[in-house]
Amino acid sequence: MLKLDDIVTHYGNIQALKGISIEVKQGEIVTIIGANGAGKTTTLKTICGLISPTSGKVYFQNKDITGKATSDIVEAGIAMVPEGRRVFPRMTVLENLQLGAYLNKNRQEVKNYLEEVFTLFPILKNRKKQIAGTLSGGEQQMLAIGRALMAKPKLLLLDEPSMGLAPKIVANIFDIITEINKEGTTILLVEQNARMALSIANKGFVIETGKIVLQDTAENLLKNEEVKKAYLGE
Ligand code: ATP
């Protein structure tokens, strides 16, 4: 479904990605784990057109989407939940969700998607008139995920959904990610919390200073001695 072929991405003179190749198949949950600054966010930004790679290609459903405008990429079926949630703090929950569907002119469809999001996150329904900036961190993460789902993506990119949240809330969010996947959305999840990410993923990639250094099934990565030492705190 998604293929990155030897992606190199720069910020000015800094080479943040040094030839990343990954593949995500339809229906999978795939995770990219790695330390702070390894290039996880840059990988997601390159996929969704927020940064153009210097070289390499991004294919989505066998089409070359390298360097296309983000709005075209969203329309093709990719939505991203950014790091740090980035909800619009002064807007209501409902307004935030509606913005996620801004490309969709079919009002009935938008209404249906909204109901689907409310089924997944009943708390957002209860708080639809609340100003987003006053939600708790976990609720804002739910809103950020809900907003991305309003675009009805085929592939959902999640950038560190566990960041800054209590373990119980992280577990709740990860249950919901699994549920979203079961309902048919393919997931690419970037995480520093390797244990949580690998516990729900089918396969994983380990990224270090802009390069993939290891890839395997999530099950094998959880058993891998180097992964245990470097990323699982064992
Ligand atoms: P984090 O978990 O901190 O987001 P990450 O794995 O997502 O880490 P990236 O944010 O992709 O890492 O950063 C990869 C490299 O690119 C780092 O060396 C970082 O300092 C650099 N970098 C990221 N954004 C910029 C930018 N806007 N300008 C210059 N360098 C950047």
Side-chain angles (χ1 to χ4, degrees):
M1 173 177 247
L2 177 78
K3 203 169 159 193
L4 269 61
D5 185 13
D6 206 14
I7 291 288
V8 175
T9 301
H10 283 82
Y11 296 102
N13 291 328
I14 302 167
Q15 193 180 28
L17 302 183
K18 300 171 181 167
I20 297 276
S21 297
I22 65 171
E23 202 177 338
V24 180
K25 297 211 170 83
Q26 185 160 355
E28 282 185 324
I29 299 180
V30 174
T31 186
I32 303 175
I33 59 175
N36 225 319
K40 304 183 299 301
T41 300
T42 305
T43 303
L44 294 189
K45 285 185 173 168
T46 304
I47 295 168
C48 65
L50 292 168
I51 313 174
S52 284
T54 319
S55 62
K57 296 276 180 201
V58 183
Y59 298 97
F60 180 60
Q61 296 190 311
N62 297 318
K63 284 197 196 91
D64 184 354
I65 59 162
T66 322
K68 283 214 179 334
T70 302
S71 56
D72 291 337
I73 293 173
V74 173
E75 225 154 0
I78 301 180
M80 167 146 143
V81 182
E83 183 173 15
R85 310 183 263 277
R86 310 257 178 84
V87 299
F88 298 100
R90 291 199 183 83
M91 297 174 103
T92 65
V93 167
L94 183 62
E95 286 163 347
N96 267 276
L97 291 173
Q98 284 166 338
L99 270 176
Y102 78 103
L103 290 169
N104 192 337
K105 302 282 171 269
N106 183 332
R107 292 178 72 172
Q108 186 55 45
E109 228 172 61
V110 174
K111 242 175 120 180
N112 294 346
Y113 297 164
L114 192 61
E115 279 316 309
E116 287 175 28
V117 169
F118 285 154
T119 305
L120 207 53
F121 301 105
I123 191 143
L124 296 182
K125 187 169 189 173
N126 297 336
R127 297 180 173 227
K128 64 184 174 192
K129 292 192 179 135
Q130 188 168 328
I131 298 297
T134 65
L135 296 172
S136 72
E139 289 160 359
Q140 288 189 25
Q141 186 58 262
M142 291 179 194
L143 179 55
I145 296 173
R147 185 180 56 191
L149 291 177
M150 288 298 291
K152 201 68 179 173
K154 299 181 184 101
L155 173 68
L156 183 65
L157 311 178
L158 290 148
D159 195 351
E160 295 204 28
S162 77
M163 197 168 70
L165 301 179
K168 212 172 133 186
I169 296 165
V170 172
N172 187 0
I173 300 266
F174 274 64
D175 282 347
I176 292 166
I177 295 170
T178 307
E179 171 103 25
I180 293 167
N181 175 252
K182 279 197 187 126
E183 285 173 9
T185 310
T186 306
I187 309 269
L188 178 58
L189 166 69
V190 152
E191 262 296 343
Q192 278 194 56
N193 188 337
R195 186 181 305 281
M196 279 309 286
L198 291 171
S199 75
I200 66 163
N202 304 104
K203 71 180 188 213
F205 294 84
V206 180
I207 186 170
E208 276 173 17
T209 56
K211 279 197 203 115
I212 302 293
V213 293
L214 198 58
Q215 54 181 299
D216 209 334
T217 62
E219 205 186 339
N220 285 343
L221 289 175
L222 279 167
K223 289 188 288 203
N224 182 294
E225 288 305 323
E226 278 162 45
V227 172
K228 277 193 196 170
K229 250 193 284 170
Y231 299 103
L232 303 175
E234 286 180 20

